[in-house]
Amino acid sequence: MECKPQPAGLCWKNTEMSKITQLMKNEVFLAYSTYTAIVLLKMMLMSLITSFFRLTRKAFSNPEDITTFGNYETAKKYLRTDPEVERVRRGHLNDLENIVPFIGIGLLYALSGPDLSTALLHFRIFVGARLFHTIAYLTPLPQPSRGKEANWVHKLVKQKQSQ
């Protein structure tokens, strides 16, 4: 296949470039990219929140983390667990367990050519549930309210199907 000359002496094959531009014009893929960016930013924010809680509560899990507080023997008291730090850490781990699979599965779903409204519904439900879960977990709301997010998602899907 012949090359189409580009500025700065670059040369791209028409078929390769058309596949990339076609993907970038795909509204479902753009929606996937947007919602993936949102949940990735949220997950990175959870890392910062975990660090903040560790520093403000002076609760560290690794001996090398406490060296800034003096020698090991005097700083040994900071090598402990704190319930609030553990809560935030578990919320972050929960993000890792759910967001990483969403990235792969969501990409495969977006590339399978679904209807835009259906894809938006799925992406919005996932992002909304992750945001609600984080708020409910960090606040901390009592357990029945965290379990209600599944009920909320079910009601939202039923409502969308009836329209």
Short mmCIF file of all heavy atoms in Angstrom, two decimals, residues 15 64 66 72 96 111 120 126 133 144 147 159 163:
data_model
loop_
_atom_site.label_atom_id
_atom_site.label_comp_id
_atom_site.label_asym_id
_atom_site.label_seq_id
_atom_site.Cartn_x
_atom_site.Cartn_y
_atom_site.Cartn_z
N THR A 15 -4.85 2.97 5.66
CA THR A 15 -5.73 2.07 6.41
C THR A 15 -5.47 2.16 7.90
O THR A 15 -6.41 2.15 8.69
CB THR A 15 -5.54 0.61 5.95
OG1 THR A 15 -4.17 0.26 6.11
CG2 THR A 15 -5.98 0.44 4.53
N GLU A 64 10.42 1.31 57.13
CA GLU A 64 11.14 2.37 56.42
C GLU A 64 10.35 3.68 56.35
O GLU A 64 10.91 4.74 56.12
CB GLU A 64 11.57 1.92 55.01
CG GLU A 64 10.45 1.51 54.10
CD GLU A 64 10.08 0.04 54.18
OE1 GLU A 64 10.52 -0.66 55.11
OE2 GLU A 64 9.33 -0.41 53.31
N ILE A 66 8.84 5.10 58.86
CA ILE A 66 8.92 5.84 60.12
C ILE A 66 10.29 6.42 60.40
O ILE A 66 10.52 7.03 61.45
CB ILE A 66 8.48 4.95 61.31
CG1 ILE A 66 9.38 3.73 61.45
CG2 ILE A 66 7.04 4.56 61.19
CD1 ILE A 66 9.12 2.92 62.70
N TYR A 72 14.84 4.16 64.89
CA TYR A 72 13.80 3.13 64.85
C TYR A 72 13.16 2.88 66.21
O TYR A 72 11.95 2.73 66.31
CB TYR A 72 14.38 1.83 64.28
CG TYR A 72 13.36 0.71 64.20
CD1 TYR A 72 12.40 0.73 63.20
CD2 TYR A 72 13.36 -0.32 65.11
CE1 TYR A 72 11.45 -0.26 63.12
CE2 TYR A 72 12.42 -1.32 65.04
CZ TYR A 72 11.47 -1.30 64.05
OH TYR A 72 10.52 -2.28 63.97
N LEU A 96 -9.36 -0.80 43.41
CA LEU A 96 -8.45 -1.58 42.56
C LEU A 96 -9.12 -2.87 42.08
O LEU A 96 -8.93 -3.29 40.94
CB LEU A 96 -7.17 -1.91 43.33
CG LEU A 96 -6.22 -0.75 43.58
CD1 LEU A 96 -5.14 -1.16 44.56
CD2 LEU A 96 -5.61 -0.28 42.28
N LEU A 111 -15.69 -1.69 22.13
CA LEU A 111 -15.27 -2.09 20.79
C LEU A 111 -16.23 -3.07 20.12
O LEU A 111 -16.11 -3.34 18.93
CB LEU A 111 -13.86 -2.69 20.85
CG LEU A 111 -12.75 -1.72 21.28
CD1 LEU A 111 -11.42 -2.46 21.38
CD2 LEU A 111 -12.66 -0.54 20.33
N LEU A 120 -23.86 4.21 27.48
CA LEU A 120 -23.86 5.31 28.45
C LEU A 120 -24.52 4.88 29.75
O LEU A 120 -24.04 5.22 30.84
CB LEU A 120 -24.57 6.53 27.88
CG LEU A 120 -23.79 7.34 26.85
CD1 LEU A 120 -24.66 8.43 26.24
CD2 LEU A 120 -22.54 7.95 27.47
N PHE A 126 -21.94 2.31 36.48
CA PHE A 126 -20.70 1.89 37.13
C PHE A 126 -20.03 3.05 37.85
O PHE A 126 -19.65 2.95 39.01
CB PHE A 126 -19.73 1.27 36.11
CG PHE A 126 -18.44 0.84 36.74
CD1 PHE A 126 -18.37 -0.36 37.44
CD2 PHE A 126 -17.30 1.62 36.66
CE1 PHE A 126 -17.19 -0.76 38.05
CE2 PHE A 126 -16.12 1.23 37.27
CZ PHE A 126 -16.06 0.03 37.96
N HIS A 133 -20.25 4.42 46.44
CA HIS A 133 -19.57 3.47 47.33
C HIS A 133 -18.46 4.18 48.11
O HIS A 133 -18.30 3.97 49.32
CB HIS A 133 -19.00 2.29 46.55
CG HIS A 133 -18.27 1.31 47.42
ND1 HIS A 133 -16.92 1.43 47.66
CD2 HIS A 133 -18.71 0.25 48.12
CE1 HIS A 133 -16.56 0.45 48.48
NE2 HIS A 133 -17.62 -0.28 48.77
N PRO A 144 -26.38 -0.99 55.96
CA PRO A 144 -27.52 -1.10 55.05
C PRO A 144 -27.50 -0.06 53.93
O PRO A 144 -27.92 -0.34 52.82
CB PRO A 144 -28.73 -0.93 55.94
CG PRO A 144 -28.27 -1.35 57.28
CD PRO A 144 -26.82 -0.94 57.35
N GLY A 147 -25.31 -1.24 51.12
CA GLY A 147 -25.95 -2.30 50.36
C GLY A 147 -27.05 -1.78 49.46
O GLY A 147 -27.45 -2.43 48.51
N GLN A 159 -36.13 1.64 35.50
CA GLN A 159 -36.72 2.88 35.03
C GLN A 159 -36.29 3.15 33.59
O GLN A 159 -37.11 3.55 32.77
CB GLN A 159 -36.27 4.02 35.94
CG GLN A 159 -36.83 5.37 35.55
CD GLN A 159 -36.28 6.49 36.42
OE1 GLN A 159 -35.24 6.34 37.05
NE2 GLN A 159 -36.98 7.60 36.44
N GLN A 163 -38.73 3.18 29.80
CA GLN A 163 -38.88 4.37 28.95
C GLN A 163 -38.91 4.04 27.49
O GLN A 163 -38.50 3.20 26.91
CB GLN A 163 -37.73 5.35 29.21
CG GLN A 163 -37.82 5.96 30.57
CD GLN A 163 -36.64 6.89 30.84
OE1 GLN A 163 -35.67 6.95 30.08
NE2 GLN A 163 -36.72 7.61 31.93
#
